[in-house]
Amino acid sequence: MTISERTTYFNVIVGLFNIVLGLVIEFGLIALCYLALARMPEAANSIPVSVLLPFVLLIGLVLAMVISVKCITWAIKKFNLQDKLDQKVVKRYIKDNV
């Protein structure tokens, strides 16, 4: 298997991982907000869901991106993929402070 093929498989797997991770985090944050608003009825009346939802989704998106980069960096280092993948992909996730 060539480096190009491995990189293609890696990118497909990373894309699927990002989709699943993003959905899990978004649904989790929405569920937490629902539970928090259900326990505090006075807050539910003062904060409309249409105002709260965009902020929750934005926070979830940023959180998913941060976790994704950390997990992918860990996987590249753990499984020693630096020499098995295209260097452009490796440099996107692993920053050398040299």
Side-chain angles (χ1 to χ4, degrees):
M1 186 177 289
T2 66
I3 290 178
S4 177
E5 291 171 338
R6 284 189 205 114
T7 303
T8 301
Y9 289 138
F10 180 78
N11 286 332
V12 168
I13 291 170
V14 165
L16 292 173
F17 174 72
N18 286 337
I19 291 170
V20 170
L21 181 67
L23 288 173
V24 167
I25 289 175
E26 294 292 347
F27 286 134
L29 283 176
I30 290 172
L32 285 175
C33 285
Y34 174 75
L35 292 174
L37 290 176
R39 291 181 187 260
M40 297 181 294
E42 63 277 352
N45 292 333
S46 65
I47 302 173
V49 175
S50 61
V51 173
L52 184 64
L53 189 61
F55 292 109
V56 170
L57 294 176
L58 182 64
I59 290 168
L61 180 67
V62 171
L63 187 62
M65 287 190 305
V66 168
I67 292 172
S68 172
V69 168
K70 299 238 184 241
C71 288
I72 294 167
T73 302
W74 171 83
I76 289 173
K77 289 179 180 178
K78 173 75 175 170
F79 299 111
N80 197 19
L81 299 175
Q82 290 95 341
D83 57 341
K84 296 173 183 71
L85 296 173
D86 187 15
Q87 289 304 308
K88 291 179 184 177
V89 173
V90 173
K91 287 180 183 178
R92 183 183 318 158
Y93 294 106
I94 298 177
K95 308 288 189 221
D96 291 330
N97 294 334
V98 178

